[in-house]
Amino acid sequence: MQLLKERILAEGQVIGNDILKVDRFLNHQIDVSFLNSIGQEFFQRFKDERVTKILTVEASGIAIACITAQYFKVPVVFAKKGQASNIEQQVYTSEVYSFTRNATYKIMVAQSYLDAGDRVLIIDDFLANGRAVLGLMDIIRQAGANPVGVGIVIEKGFQEGGALVRKSGANLQSLAIIETMKKGQIVFR
Ligand code: G4P
């Protein structure tokens, strides 16, 4: 997505060799009208998949999922992180290891919000090592639902997530794929 690449080049900040800050428009301050273009782009790419639900994980995925869901006219379900203290219902859970944070956390979705007949589109802001997406796919599998696609705003192509998710057979669509960002220089695939 050309507009996204331009925005990353203009406003993204590279931290070290592998972290990209896009706080100015995507995951701290949010440019809603720009997010709207992202939602439209995801709709174009997945509109034939008969999506019935969009699934993401808190926190940064929620805004992107919601704006995308307006085009599909389907509900958003977001996986919650941490212990299930405030959820009384039966839940699907999966464990996610975060390389960025060097910690394992649990994600959970109440069973009542994912049905066996659902055709689920996963949406998230970043794809790094892919563990969050694989955890969401595990939850979809537990529900007996059908994962019909994975929409990512920024894939860091030099980390293993893209390969892992594609190997799983998922229809992965990343709107921008960064090949490298050594010495502050961003190169797209
Ligand atoms: P993985 O799911 O692909 O394996 O990624 P990883 O655990 O390594 O990433 C942990 C968190 O860091 C995720 O956010 C992910 O979106 C975010 N992240 C990874 N790489 C980058 C990056 O280069 N820039 C930015 N800005 N974020 C990155 P999270 O734990 O889900 O937190 P939240 O921010 O959504 O609450």
Side-chain angles (χ1 to χ4, degrees):
M1 185 185 176
Q2 191 54 32
L3 204 59
L4 173 63
K5 290 182 187 170
E6 287 167 10
R7 202 70 196 255
I8 292 170
L9 290 177
E11 294 178 30
Q13 282 176 277
V14 179
I15 313 283
N17 285 328
D18 59 359
I19 294 289
L20 174 68
K21 283 191 81 166
V22 281
D23 282 15
R24 235 189 134 69
F25 63 95
L26 192 64
N27 50 22
H28 193 13
Q29 172 167 269
I30 296 175
D31 180 337
V32 177
S33 93
F34 180 67
L35 213 58
N36 208 31
S37 311
I38 286 176
Q40 279 173 326
E41 181 71 25
F42 281 136
F43 182 68
Q44 284 309 315
R45 294 185 186 214
F46 293 108
K47 63 180 183 313
D48 298 327
E49 297 296 341
R50 292 179 286 122
V51 172
T52 63
K53 223 156 258 179
I54 292 181
L55 181 65
T56 188
V57 56
E58 65 180 355
S60 307
I62 297 175
I64 303 161
C66 287
I67 216 150
T68 303
Q70 290 185 306
Y71 294 97
F72 287 94
K73 297 185 172 38
V74 299
V76 171
V77 176
F78 65 91
K80 299 197 176 201
K81 291 176 181 168
Q83 297 305 316
S85 56
N86 60 346
I87 304 186
E88 307 274 302
Q89 307 114 300
Q90 299 277 83
V91 293
Y92 299 116
T93 65
S94 193
E95 295 224 322
V96 175
Y97 174 70
S98 168
F99 286 90
T100 305
R101 294 170 205 261
N102 188 24
T104 299
Y105 59 94
K106 259 192 184 160
I107 56 172
M108 73 196 86
V109 170
Q111 292 187 4
S112 48
Y113 299 134
L114 272 185
D115 300 319
D118 272 325
R119 296 176 60 81
V120 184
L121 172 62
I122 293 173
I123 293 284
D124 211 353
D125 57 344
F126 271 93
L127 181 62
N129 293 291
R131 298 309 195 272
V133 168
L134 294 176
L136 292 173
M137 287 173 80
D138 179 34
I139 282 178
I140 294 169
R141 184 191 51 73
Q142 290 174 44
N146 191 359
V148 297
V150 180
I152 297 291
V153 180
I154 302 171
E155 175 182 335
K156 296 196 289 181
F158 53 89
Q159 291 180 288
E160 66 179 0
L164 282 176
V165 172
R166 288 185 182 95
K167 205 170 109 195
S168 78
N171 175 13
L172 169 62
Q173 297 282 328
S174 301
L175 303 189
I177 303 180
I178 296 176
E179 192 65 60
T180 63
M181 39 188 204
K182 294 202 176 98
K183 295 185 183 151
Q185 198 71 24
I186 297 172
V187 179
F188 294 104
R189 187 175 293 173

